[in-house]
Amino acid sequence: MRSVNACRQVPLRLRSYSTAKGTRSPSGYSRDKSPDLFLNPHAWEGLPADQIFQLHQVRKQYMGDAYNPTNEERTAILSTINSLSPQKPPLDYSFEIENFKERLMNNTPMNQRGLPQKLSNQYVISRGDLPHNKRRIENLTRISAFEMPLLAKYRQPYQPASKKEAPLKLTYQSDFKADTTSEYNRLVKLSVKLEDLGLTKEQEHKFKILSGDKFNHDNNTFNLKSKRYPEAAQNVKWLVSTFNRLLTESKDLSKETFSDIPLDKRHMKQLIRKKANSFPEEWKRPQDAPISRHFIVDRLVSMTTEIIDKKELKNVSP
């Protein structure tokens, strides 16, 4: 970038434009003969668009690092857009206009620079979807009032499946949030009672051995939890497939019966709840309790209420 003194020595040539005779700029300079027209942006108003663009380029080259756009220069440059709207402006001119507005316009916030120009700053209250929502709600209300009662002839009594046909119990949990992949929402618990599986004693013993610490010996239930997958449906699929493989292996007594292996119930110690400590009856000594004294206010209140109650009863009773 050249300095200001170096740029002043460069001969500057401006393209001449024909104007009406006697036409002068507001400052008194001749628009087509003044050599210092690029230094007076207030005299650019009304000039052709390409001449204003050339004056802007010359002024930038002349001033160098000391270039600072003025309000008159901004107004003159931005006013040329209307004159070029019927025709497509040159690409370099359009780029310079947008670059000028983006870099040098002080009234454009930083977070809005580079965005397309707004058509209107007026706030729009309604987007036009409220009437459609109203019609949709009215249609649903009409269906619930006239068509849904007709479905009553298709109702049937609910008969839940027996525990032997559907012994598995799946427990889901949710915190009512949109994130279904959290550790709390994807956790699923599978529980089944041993008596609902229809196993023999040998098969039950093998099932308990293979279950390990997942089997509760107090209520004879098998519990298994899973949250290894991001979705609850995936965890359900894994739980059911794992339980089916465990049940199939328990029913197969041809390989191993585990009859010589005792049950391991050490994990049940963690499930045993300790009883709350109770205060011994022989330690209670009501005779040693402190005697209530100095309740004069309470006694006066109770005596006053008794007197008032007696008077009211006399007035009411015949």
Side-chain angles (χ1 to χ4, degrees), residues 212-225:
D213 58 350
K214 306 300 181 183
F215 190 83
N216 192 338
H217 295 274
D218 291 341
N219 50 15
N220 288 332
T221 57
F222 172 77
N223 301 315
L224 185 62
K225 298 180 181 180

Side-chain angles (χ1 to χ4, degrees), residues 117-155:
Q117 186 179 5
K118 294 183 179 180
L119 299 179
S120 175
N121 292 329
Q122 185 178 2
Y123 176 70
V124 180
I125 299 177
S126 176
R127 296 178 300 175
D129 55 348
L130 294 180
H132 302 285
N133 290 336
K134 186 177 180 180
R135 294 193 202 98
R136 179 174 172 271
I137 294 173
E138 290 177 353
N139 188 23
L140 293 176
T141 306
R142 193 179 299 108
I143 291 174
S144 62
F146 298 102
E147 297 183 11
M148 286 186 179
L150 301 178
L151 300 176
K153 58 183 178 181
Y154 299 105
R155 60 187 176 187

Side-chain angles (χ1 to χ4, degrees), residues 9-52:
Q9 298 176 2
V10 178
L12 301 175
R13 297 181 180 179
L14 297 179
R15 188 185 304 173
S16 61
Y17 296 88
S18 60
T19 55
K21 294 183 179 181
T23 305
R24 292 184 175 272
S25 61
S27 60
Y29 293 97
S30 176
R31 294 183 176 179
D32 54 349
K33 295 182 179 180
S34 176
D36 298 334
L37 186 59
F38 63 91
L39 296 177
N40 300 286
H42 59 274
W44 296 359
E45 185 177 358
L47 294 177
D50 50 356
Q51 185 181 4
I52 294 177

Side-chain angles (χ1 to χ4, degrees), residues 10-192:
V10 178
L12 301 175
R13 297 181 180 179
L14 297 179
R15 188 185 304 173
S16 61
Y17 296 88
S18 60
T19 55
K21 294 183 179 181
T23 305
R24 292 184 175 272
S25 61
S27 60
Y29 293 97
S30 176
R31 294 183 176 179
D32 54 349
K33 295 182 179 180
S34 176
D36 298 334
L37 186 59
F38 63 91
L39 296 177
N40 300 286
H42 59 274
W44 296 359
E45 185 177 358
L47 294 177
D50 50 356
Q51 185 181 4
I52 294 177
F53 177 65
Q54 185 183 10
L55 291 172
H56 169 64
Q57 295 289 350
V58 172
R59 189 169 187 269
K60 286 175 56 179
Q61 181 183 1
Y62 178 80
M63 300 187 69
D65 295 337
Y67 171 72
N68 187 17
T70 61
N71 293 331
E72 293 81 2
E73 185 179 2
R74 296 191 188 97
T75 305
I77 292 177
L78 296 179
S79 64
T80 59
I81 299 178
N82 297 329
S83 62
L84 296 175
S85 57
Q87 300 177 358
K88 186 176 181 181
L91 183 60
D92 55 348
Y93 183 78
S94 301
F95 175 77
E96 182 63 26
I97 288 292
E98 296 297 331
N99 196 17
F100 180 84
K101 289 194 298 182
E102 184 175 350
R103 291 186 295 103
L104 306 176
M105 289 292 287
N106 297 329
N107 57 351
T108 304
M110 291 296 297
N111 57 352
Q112 296 182 3
R113 294 185 180 180
L115 299 178
Q117 186 179 5
K118 294 183 179 180
L119 299 179
S120 175
N121 292 329
Q122 185 178 2
Y123 176 70
V124 180
I125 299 177
S126 176
R127 296 178 300 175
D129 55 348
L130 294 180
H132 302 285
N133 290 336
K134 186 177 180 180
R135 294 193 202 98
R136 179 174 172 271
I137 294 173
E138 290 177 353
N139 188 23
L140 293 176
T141 306
R142 193 179 299 108
I143 291 174
S144 62
F146 298 102
E147 297 183 11
M148 286 186 179
L150 301 178
L151 300 176
K153 58 183 178 181
Y154 299 105
R155 60 187 176 187
Q156 298 177 358
Y158 173 69
Q159 296 179 357
S162 61
K163 293 183 178 180
K164 293 185 178 181
E165 295 178 358
L168 299 182
K169 179 182 178 182
L170 297 172
T171 305
Y172 298 81
Q173 55 188 14
S174 174
D175 55 1
F176 300 100
K177 293 183 179 179
D179 186 13
T180 59
T181 60
S182 61
E183 293 186 0
Y184 185 81
N185 290 337
R186 68 189 182 191
L187 179 63
V188 183
K189 177 183 177 182
L190 182 145
S191 59
V192 59

